């Protein structure tokens, strides 16, 4: 569908008369593009270049690879494509149902990817939110320069979620996860495996059956809830420069614990400890259970707590 806004019907017809859809085929690849030139129009000494707004739907058989690009406008792919590569400079990008790799990008607008199974999913926006749901891929990348980044109900894989300005939330999944915000809250919930979570300005929360936890904030509280089945397979770090820190682990958790605070209270109350910290102490080193890997819990300015997890 072609549509143009013009001062007169004649002016609109002149613009529309210069544009058409061109379909070309090379082997198994079919390319559809809008072809035409902008038309001079205007009055009162002001000249404008007019071009139509173009909207079209393409219906193809299943298992086709989808490639779509727009300079200005929404782009979407719905169905069991074998892969999908969608880009636009200004507008929303959405992909649903692809059964293969996905690359979805926009310079200005939101990105949504849902119900996708493939080896790699890459979703990025320069200015806009990035939202993923029910995505299963060996590698999942979701990035925004300015906007919230979320991923829910994912499968096993390697996750990387980052934003410069906005919150980051990952719920579900297992494997390894890296979640980071320069300015915003970071939450990783119900994730099993290795987690690296960081915020320059904002709180950090991590919960799941964890093998590695590296949860840090330059300015905000940090809470890690390691649920039943969690084990320290390598060094854990739970730290904040300005904010309280809390690590909760199951009763059978084992590690070499270092817990401390520069300005704040110190609490270490866990079944795996032979005793708690001395009154007024700012640092405590102790074996938890049978010992093992190093676990560091530290706040520069706030309370530091090591406790048993709720489940």
């Amino acid at each position: 569908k072609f549509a143009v806004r013009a001062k007169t019907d004649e002016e609109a017809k002149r613009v529309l008369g210069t544009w058409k859809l061109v379909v070309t085929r090379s082997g198994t690849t079919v390319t559809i593009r809008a072809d035409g030139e902008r038309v001079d129009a205007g009055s009162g000494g002001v000249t404008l270049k007019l071009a139509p707004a173009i909207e079209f739907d393409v219906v193809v058989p299943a298992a086709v690879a989808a490639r779509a690009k727009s300079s200005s406008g929404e782009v979407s792919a719905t169905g069991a494509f074998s892969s999908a590569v969608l880009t636009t400079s200004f507008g929303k990008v959405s992909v649903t149902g692809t059964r293969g790799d996905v690359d979805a990008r926009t310079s200005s607008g939101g990105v949504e990817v849902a119900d996708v199974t493939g080896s790699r999913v890459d979703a990025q926006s320069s200015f806009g939110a990035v939202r993923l749901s029910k995505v299963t891929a060996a590698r999942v990348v979701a990035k925004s320069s300015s906007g919230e980044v979320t991923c829910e109900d994912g499968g096993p894989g390697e996750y990387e979620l980052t934003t410069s300005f906005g919150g980051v939330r990952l719920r579900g999944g297992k494997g390894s996860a890296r979640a980071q915000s320069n300015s915003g809250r970071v939450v990783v919930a119900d994730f099993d495996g290795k987690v690296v979570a960081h915020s320059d300005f904002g709180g950090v929360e991590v919960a799941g059956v964890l093998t590695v936890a590296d949860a840090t904030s330059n300015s905000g509280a940090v809470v890690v809830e390691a649920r039943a089945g969690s084990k320290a397979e390598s060094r854990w770090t739970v730290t904040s420069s300005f904010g309280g820190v809390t690590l909760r682990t199951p009763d059978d958790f084992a590690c070499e614990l270092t817990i401390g605070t520069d300005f704040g209270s110190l609490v270490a109350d866990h079944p795996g400890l032979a005793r708690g910290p001395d009154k007024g102490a700012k640092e405590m080193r102790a074996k938890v259970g049978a010992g093992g890997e190093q676990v560091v819990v530290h706040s520069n300015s706030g309370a530091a707590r090591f406790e048993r997890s709720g489940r």
Side-chain angles (χ1 to χ4, degrees):
K1 180 174 70 175
F2 290 82
V4 63
R5 290 184 177 181
K7 294 185 67 175
T8 64
D9 289 344
E10 291 74 14
E11 194 173 75
K13 290 177 181 178
R14 188 157 54 92
V15 174
L16 293 173
T18 66
W19 286 81
K20 61 182 178 179
L21 287 180
V22 178
V23 180
T24 58
R25 181 167 185 167
S26 176
T28 59
T29 301
V30 177
T31 303
I32 303 172
R33 74 176 190 275
D35 197 6
E37 296 183 0
R38 295 177 180 269
V39 174
D40 290 340
S43 61
V46 178
T47 301
L48 303 174
K49 294 282 189 179
L50 294 184
I54 303 166
E55 178 182 336
F56 58 91
D57 297 329
V58 180
V59 180
V60 298
V64 170
R67 304 287 186 271
K69 182 178 181 180
S70 174
S71 297
S72 180
E74 179 179 342
V75 181
S76 65
T78 302
F81 293 104
S82 62
S83 64
V85 178
L86 276 61
T87 61
T88 183
S89 297
F90 298 95
K92 176 183 174 182
V93 175
S94 61
V95 179
T96 304
T98 294
R99 295 298 177 257
D101 293 355
V102 169
D103 192 326
R105 300 169 187 256
T106 179
S107 298
S108 181
V111 177
E112 294 184 2
V113 179
D115 188 23
V116 166
T117 301
S119 61
R120 182 181 176 92
V121 171
D122 198 333
Q124 299 190 30
S125 175
S126 297
F127 296 96
V130 177
R131 295 186 172 90
L132 281 60
S133 63
K134 296 182 179 178
V135 170
T136 300
R139 173 76 169 155
V140 177
V141 178
K143 295 183 178 181
S144 177
S145 298
S146 181
E148 183 182 42
V149 175
T150 63
C151 180
E152 297 188 345
D153 300 329
E158 180 183 346
Y159 291 81
E160 181 181 351
L161 279 64
T162 61
T163 183
S164 297
F165 299 96
V168 173
R169 180 176 176 84
L170 171 62
R171 183 176 66 82
K174 63 181 179 179
S176 66
R178 180 178 295 273
Q180 179 172 331
S181 174
N182 291 349
S183 181
R185 185 183 179 204
V186 174
V187 178
V188 179
D190 302 326
F191 189 89
D192 298 345
K194 176 182 177 180
V195 175
V196 177
H198 174 77
S199 177
D200 287 341
F201 297 95
V204 173
E205 297 178 25
V206 175
V209 180
L210 307 174
T211 57
V212 175
D214 183 359
T216 59
S217 175
N218 292 343
S219 182
V222 178
V223 178
V224 174
E225 178 92 12
R227 294 171 180 163
S230 297
K231 298 181 184 300
E233 294 184 353
S234 61
R235 178 186 172 94
W236 286 30
T237 305
V238 181
T239 64
S240 176
S241 297
F242 296 95
V245 295
T246 301
L247 172 60
R248 302 188 183 103
T249 65
D251 291 1
D252 61 354
F253 191 79
C255 69
E256 297 292 337
L257 174 69
T258 300
I259 181 171
T261 177
D262 295 338
F263 298 96
S265 60
L266 187 65
V267 177
D269 183 10
H270 188 278
L273 289 170
R275 64 181 184 87
D278 295 333
K279 185 176 180 180
K282 292 298 182 181
E283 184 178 83
M284 173 183 170
R285 298 175 185 268
K287 179 182 291 187
V288 179
E293 295 292 337
Q294 292 288 326
V295 171
V296 177
V297 181
H298 188 271
S299 173
N300 291 351
S301 181
R305 307 177 69 91
F306 179 68
E307 304 169 338
R308 71 195 307 178
S309 58
R311 53 178 169 143

